[in-house]
Amino acid sequence: MRMIILAPLLAAIPGAALAEPLTFDAALQRAAREAPSLQANEAGVDATRSAAIAAGRLPDPTLDLGVQGFPVSGPNAGSFNRDDFTMTTIGLSQQFPNPAKRRAQRERAQADIGIAEAGAAAEAQNVRLETALAWVDLYYAKRRLAQLQRLDASLSELQATVSARLASGSARPSAALEPDQLRGAVNDRRSDLAAEVTKAQARLARFTGDLQADVSGDPPMLEVDRAQLAARLGGLPRLQALDAETRAADAETELARADKRPDWRVSTSYGRRDPAFGDLVSVGVSIDLPLFARRRQDPKIAARASEAERARLMRAAGERELAAALNGDLADHAMHHQRLMNARNTLVPLAKHRAELDMASYAAGKLDLGSALLSSLALAEAEVDALAREADVARDTIRINFTYGPITDGGTRP
């Protein structure tokens, strides 16, 4: 009975509110299905492919209807059958653009498809990258927040020790305030991390559609292969888009050149007159005459050729820019990795050893509580900073592989 009563309420709860935490791969796969921008780009690609079907086709024929030789003055004015020149006509005409123009139109349509597909691939790459970074940011923000919560728990234990010392008279009264002061500083840091968690959840929800986005599992273990990534730069969506724009500019140049070749039109008509005079049939061909190319077609050809050269130079500049960006990202990754190793091997162990020594000195009555607590706070900050450095390395690895590596599936493999 309770389930029957609660069923309508459960049905009214959005599916995202009941969603389970997402692993890294699951988040990527869900973003690939749910991101509206990807669906919008796919619709754009479909539209471009559909429009390309008509490229290079013959124009529709034209139906001509008319009246010729209708008298408007003289003795036969206003009569269809008293004048032997009056006739009603019906005809068809068909335009035939020159083959070079139609071929260039088809090439331009294929280039437009390439531009649309490259744009969709670039957006898929961006969605995949931003989803992965949001997942990693949420994962490490929650870990850093948990680290501070463990410090808060240890402060509660220390508060009991201070209370016992106050009762025995071995501690000064102001010492009772020092754990609370440290807890206040920890609360400020926790508020910052809680905000980071909320922001990361919002970014993850943007791409996955899960309003209660959460993470489960561990981040992927990815390697950075400099040589392999550098060799694959030419296949990245950004450069593929520039390649397609170059092909489009070349097609526009061919279209301009095709204007120097004449188009032609075939027409036929049937003229009906009074039966006493007989009907007429007409057939004709009209041909364009591009006689003034120096002032009409040639300037357009030069302009389109300059645009094509510009597109090729932009493509070369784009490849250099990507190569420079890859080297810069690899340098940042190496720096972040060194900082992480320094934190793990030096900073955290030293902070831990100092905190232990200071707490032992406090227990022996050789150090005041404030100094011992500051050492504990320094240890917590060192551990949180180490997690932040680990997050930087993970972000670098994901950014490099997902930006400069090919997209093969919705999972962790770049």
Side-chain angles (χ1 to χ4, degrees):
M1 179 62 68
R2 290 179 179 176
M3 290 304 297
I4 294 175
I5 295 174
L6 292 176
L9 297 177
L10 293 174
I13 298 176
L18 301 176
E20 296 181 356
L22 297 172
T23 64
F24 185 83
D25 283 354
L28 295 181
Q29 293 167 1
R30 181 160 181 170
R33 295 192 308 267
E34 301 292 338
S37 60
L38 298 185
Q39 300 173 13
N41 276 272
E42 286 298 324
V45 172
D46 292 341
T48 306
R49 288 173 179 167
S50 181
I53 298 175
R57 304 283 181 176
L58 289 177
D60 292 331
T62 302
L63 176 66
D64 301 314
L65 301 174
V67 176
Q68 295 182 4
F70 184 72
V72 294
S73 63
N76 296 330
S79 175
F80 279 95
N81 55 13
R82 290 201 304 268
D83 191 287
D84 58 347
F85 293 104
T86 302
M87 64 179 173
T88 57
T89 61
I90 180 172
L92 286 174
S93 61
Q94 175 66 60
Q95 184 179 4
F96 291 89
N98 68 77
K101 181 180 293 185
R102 295 170 61 190
R103 181 171 57 253
Q105 289 172 347
R106 289 192 291 268
E107 291 174 356
R108 176 55 201 262
Q110 291 302 314
D112 287 341
I113 293 175
I115 292 173
E117 290 177 341
E123 180 61 21
Q125 185 184 49
N126 180 67
V127 167
R128 190 166 174 264
L129 172 62
E130 292 300 325
T131 303
L133 292 178
W135 192 98
V136 168
D137 288 345
L138 180 56
Y139 174 84
Y140 280 102
K142 292 182 68 176
R143 283 190 61 185
R144 284 181 285 167
L145 188 59
Q147 188 69 38
L148 287 182
Q149 289 171 345
R150 285 193 289 270
L151 175 61
D152 199 12
S154 65
L155 289 177
S156 299
E157 297 175 359
L158 185 60
Q159 185 72 56
T161 302
V162 173
S163 299
R165 289 197 171 193
L166 287 173
S168 64
S170 60
R172 66 185 188 279
S174 63
L177 304 177
E178 292 175 345
D180 290 332
Q181 289 178 325
L182 182 57
R183 186 176 288 108
V186 172
N187 286 339
D188 287 342
R189 188 76 174 98
R190 182 163 46 230
S191 297
D192 294 338
L193 289 176
E196 291 184 22
V197 169
T198 302
K199 292 177 182 179
Q201 284 178 328
R203 288 167 50 211
L204 191 58
R206 172 189 172 190
F207 298 106
T208 63
D210 185 356
L211 299 181
Q212 304 295 329
D214 201 358
V215 297
S216 67
D218 297 323
M221 301 298 294
L222 299 176
E223 296 181 356
V224 176
D225 189 330
R226 176 190 292 265
Q228 190 176 52
L229 293 172
R232 290 175 173 174
L233 284 180
L236 297 181
R238 179 177 173 184
L239 293 184
Q240 289 178 348
L242 293 175
D243 288 335
E245 291 177 3
T246 301
R247 292 194 296 271
D250 289 337
E252 289 290 344
T253 304
E254 292 303 317
L255 272 174
R257 291 195 179 102
D259 284 339
K260 298 182 70 173
R261 301 182 183 184
D263 298 336
W264 51 288
R265 177 189 295 268
V266 175
S267 60
T268 181
S269 63
Y270 181 85
R272 181 175 178 80
R273 300 193 297 176
D274 185 271
F277 304 108
D279 298 340
L280 299 175
V281 173
S282 300
V283 177
V285 176
S286 60
I287 301 175
D288 296 336
L289 298 178
L291 299 179
F292 305 98
R294 188 169 64 88
R295 291 183 178 274
R296 294 181 179 177
Q297 286 82 16
D298 288 349
K300 293 182 179 180
I301 293 173
R304 298 297 178 266
S306 296
E307 287 292 332
E309 181 63 18
R310 174 183 175 276
R312 278 186 282 273
L313 291 174
M314 290 299 295
R315 201 283 183 189
E319 186 169 8
R320 291 186 181 185
E321 182 180 352
L322 278 176
L326 173 60
N327 290 331
D329 288 342
L330 290 172
D332 285 341
H333 177 56
M335 178 267 293
H336 287 148
H337 188 269
Q338 291 173 355
R339 283 170 52 84
L340 173 61
M341 293 299 100
N342 186 45
R344 286 178 175 176
N345 300 331
T346 303
L347 298 180
V348 172
L350 287 176
K352 183 177 182 180
H353 188 51
R354 179 176 179 177
E356 291 173 350
L357 291 177
D358 285 350
M359 291 305 296
S361 298
Y362 167 71
K366 299 179 180 180
L367 186 68
D368 63 284
L369 179 60
S371 299
L373 290 179
L374 287 177
S375 297
S376 298
L377 179 60
L379 172 59
E381 288 289 349
E383 291 174 336
V384 170
D385 181 66
L387 285 174
R389 297 185 184 195
E390 184 179 336
D392 287 338
V393 173
R395 284 176 58 87
D396 287 341
T397 305
I398 289 172
R399 184 182 298 280
I400 290 171
N401 280 287
F402 283 29
T403 300
Y404 305 101
I407 299 177
T408 57
D409 55 34
T412 58
R413 291 181 297 167

